[in-house]
DNA sequence: ATCTGTGAATGGTTTCACAGCT
DNA sequence: AGCTGTGAAACCATTCACAGAT
C-alpha cells in the first residue's frame, strides 16, 4: 500500500519543466491545424495566439526542446510538429485499455482525439457480465476477469479508469499489478499507487466547483458589497470541542445538499 | 473579437491563491466522506492523506480561509465542510446547461457529482432536431434554438460545452451573449471569450499525451540509454528556408498518425 | 527590419521549521 | 505532548527586455 505518488518529483527529466510538458500538446494541436492548411512557417506570436498562450512563454517552452526556429523568420511547421511529437513520445503507438464502459467510458472509446495521436484503444473492460461481447465504438467489451491477460498480451502500459468511485482503487491495484505504469483516472477518488506509477486525474465536479468560486466572486463584486452576497454571516470559529449537535451555521437555502450516495460514481458501468 | 482571457488575473480575490482554490474541492470531498462516517474531528495529517496532499500544504491552504482549527486537537469536520462549501459558493445552487448531448454530454448529465454539490442541470441542449424531446438522465433535450431563452429564463451563469470542436466557438459566443460568465469546455479548441468570462478546459487527449511523455522517459531510463529509446536520431535544425519537400525526419512507425478529420470532435452530438 | 533565444527580474507555490495555543 | 498557524527559505513558472541571428 505505498503512499500515493502523483505528480512526478522531477526525476531530472533532462530538464523539461512540467508546466512546459503540459503545454506541448496545445502547441501540437495548433501546429497540426496549420499543417493541414499547408502553412509552411509560423512566428511565435501567431502560434502562441492559436494555442491560447503568450509568445514569451511559448518561446521559453521551445527553448527547452532546442533551437528549432529561425531568427527573423519563425518556425517551420512540419519540423516542429515532428519534434514535439517525438518529445511527447507520440511517434510510437500506445495501446490503451479503458476500464468501466458506462456513458463516460463509451464516450472515451468513441473519442477521436485518442486515435488521432499515437493512442490505440486496445481493449474495453467492464465488470458487468451482460456487457461482455457487446461492441462499443466497434470494439467488443471484455469482462474484468480478462484484465491481466489483456494487459500482458498487448503490452499495455497506459490505463484509463472510468468506473464508479467505489471500484476505482481496486481496478487500479489490478492494473498496476498487471504492469500498467500510467493511469488516467476519471473516478472521483484519490488513488494510491506505488512509486514509479503516474496518475493523472480528470475530475468534472472539481472543475465546476472552481468555476463556482470565481462566479461567486463576480456576483459579490458586482453589487459593490465586498464580502457576503446574500445570507447571514456564518458563526465565528467558536472552538467547538466536539461535533456540534445540530448543523454548523445558517447555510441559507440548503435543502438537502447531500447527494443520494455521497460522493457518487462517475457513471454506472452497467 | 476580444482576445481570449482564460485564467483570471488575480483580481485581488481577497487573496486566496488559485492553487489553493483548486484544492478546496479535494478537501471538501475528503471531509464529506469523514462526515458521513460521523467522524467529529481530523488532524491536518489525516485529512491531507485522505485528500492526497501533504499536511504543510493543507495547513497553509486553510490559513488563507481563516483560523478554523484548534491547536492540539485538529479541525471540526462539520464546521470545515460548511466553511469550505461557503467559500466555494456551494451553499447556493447553480443552474447549469450542458450543450452537446452526445456520449460525453449524456455522461455529464448522468454524473452524480454534479447534482451532489450545489449544481443543478437546468437544461440539455443539442443541435440535432431528432434529439429534441428525448429524455436523457430524465431531462428532455431541447433544441439549440431555445438556447438564449433557456439561459435567461433560468438565470443560468455556468455552461458546459460538450460539442464537437467545430461547433464550440459558435456555441460559446451564443452562451456568452446570453449572459453566461463561466464555461467548462470539453471540446478540443481554444475558446475566445471577452474579459470577465472564465473558461476552464478539460481535454482528454492532452492528459494522455502528458502521460505518454512520462511513460516514454521511464522506458528510456530503464535500459540505461539516457537519450532516444529506438529509432534514428532526427535531423538537426538545418535552418530550412521553406517547407521541406517530403516528410521532416524519420518518424519511424508512422503509418498515418493523422486521424480522419484533424483534431476531431469530442463526440458526435447526433 | 524582423523575430528567435535567453539571462535577469518578478511573482507565485511549496516546503521547512518552529512559535504559540490547548 | 500534540497539533495548528505562519514567517522565512527554497523552488518553480512567468514575464521582461534585449542581444544575436537572418
Amino acid at each position: 500500500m505505498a503512499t500515493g505518488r502523483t505528480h512526478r518529483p522531477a526525476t531530472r527529466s533532462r530538464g523539461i519543466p512540467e508546466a512546459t510538458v503540459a503545454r506541448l500538446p496545445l502547441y501540437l494541436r495548433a501546429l497540426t491545424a496549420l499543417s493541414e492548411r499547408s502553412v509552411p512557417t509560423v512566428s511565435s506570436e501567431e502560434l502562441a495566439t492559436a494555442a491560447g498562450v503568450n509568445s514569451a512563454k511559448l518561446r521559453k517552452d521551445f527553448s527547452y526542446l532546442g533551437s528549432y526556429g529561425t531568427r527573423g523568420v519563425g518556425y517551420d511547421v512540419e519540423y516542429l510538429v515532428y519534434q514535439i511529437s517525438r518529445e511527447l513520445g507520440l511517434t510510437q503507438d500506445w495501446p490503451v485499455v479503458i476500464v468501466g464502459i458506462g456513458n463516460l467510458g463509451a464516450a472515451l472509446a468513441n473519442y477521436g482525439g485518442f486515435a488521432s495521436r499515437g493512442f490505440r484503444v486496445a481493449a474495453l473492460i467492464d465488470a458487468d457480465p451482460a456487457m461482455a461481447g457487446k461492441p462499443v465504438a466497434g470494439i467488443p467489451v471484455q469482462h474484468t476477469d480478462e484484465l491481466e491477460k489483456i494487459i500482458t498480451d498487448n503490452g499495455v502500459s497506459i490505463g484509463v479508469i472510468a468506473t464508479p468511485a467505489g471500484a476505482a482503487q481496486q481496478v487500479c491495484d489490478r492494473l498496476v499489478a498487471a504492469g500498467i505504469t500510467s493511469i488516467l483516472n476519471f473516478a472521483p477518488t484519490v488513488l494510491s499507487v506505488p512509486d514509479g506509477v503516474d496518475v493523472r486525474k480528470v475530475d468534472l465536479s472539481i472543475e465546476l466547483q472552481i468555476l463556482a468560486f470565481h462566479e461567486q466572486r463576480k456576483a459579490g463584486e458586482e453589487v459593490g458589497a465586498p464580502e457576503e452576497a446574500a445570507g447571514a454571516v456564518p458563526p465565528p470559529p467558536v472552538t467547538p470541542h466536539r461535533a456540534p449537535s445540530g448543523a454548523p451555521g445558517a447555510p441559507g437555502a440548503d435543502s438537502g445538499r447531500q447527494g443520494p450516495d455521497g460522493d457518487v460514481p462517475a457513471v454506472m458501468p452497467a
Side-chain angles (χ1 to χ4, degrees), chain A:
Chain A
M1 259 266 195
T3 340
R5 276 267 75 257
T6 285
H7 212 255
R8 198 106 259 261
T11 327
R12 193 235 31 167
S13 290
R14 209 261 310 278
I16 303 182
E18 199 46 43
T20 295
V21 172
R23 280 187 297 264
L24 292 180
L26 242 61
Y27 302 141
L28 185 54
R29 175 173 292 156
L31 284 164
T32 305
L34 291 170
S35 167
E36 264 152 34
R37 292 170 35 218
S38 303
V39 176
T41 55
V42 247
S43 68
S44 62
E45 193 65 42
E46 293 166 318
L47 184 53
T49 307
V53 303
N54 72 46
S55 63
K57 202 185 287 190
L58 178 143
R59 287 201 303 278
K60 214 348 105 92
D61 284 343
F62 285 0
S63 80
Y64 294 114
L65 307 184
S67 290
Y68 294 152
T70 309
R71 292 173 200 230
V73 178
Y75 301 92
D76 180 89
V77 171
E78 296 297 327
Y79 186 65
L80 245 194
V81 164
Y82 171 66
Q83 288 301 343
I84 295 178
S85 296
R86 190 181 55 90
E87 196 66 59
L88 284 171
L90 305 178
T91 51
Q92 60 192 280
D93 97 349
W94 296 101
V96 166
V97 295
I98 302 175
V99 186
I101 314 302
N103 268 311
L104 180 56
L108 296 174
N110 280 296
Y111 179 53
F114 278 22
S116 80
R117 316 242 171 272
F119 305 100
R120 180 171 49 81
V121 179
L124 306 178
I125 302 177
D126 198 284
D128 182 0
M131 291 284 295
K134 288 214 308 189
V136 170
I139 301 163
V141 175
Q142 293 176 267
H143 189 263
T144 320
D145 290 348
E146 316 285 339
L147 191 145
E148 285 78 10
K149 182 167 164 43
I150 294 167
I151 289 170
T152 351
D153 288 3
N154 296 68
V156 180
S157 53
I158 300 178
V160 177
I161 298 179
T163 66
Q169 182 62 59
Q170 197 178 319
V171 166
C172 172
D173 291 344
R174 286 182 66 184
L175 288 174
V176 170
I180 290 264
T181 45
S182 289
I183 292 175
L184 182 50
N185 180 31
F186 286 88
T189 341
V190 177
L191 293 180
S192 280
V193 294
D195 266 34
V197 176
D198 269 317
V199 177
R200 290 193 68 88
K201 201 164 72 111
V202 173
D203 196 313
L204 316 175
S205 99
I206 283 182
E207 297 299 324
L208 270 194
Q209 290 175 52
I210 296 170
L211 283 177
F213 172 86
H214 293 303
E215 195 59 37
Q216 185 190 35
R217 292 296 165 110
K218 286 180 211 164
E221 270 153 32
E222 214 159 76
V223 231
E227 221 58 343
E228 292 298 287
V233 179
V238 273
T239 62
H241 236 326
R242 229 59 210 288
S245 18
D254 187 18
S255 38
R257 176 160 29 72
Q258 203 54 55
D261 72 353
D263 233 355
V264 171
V267 132
M268 285 304 292

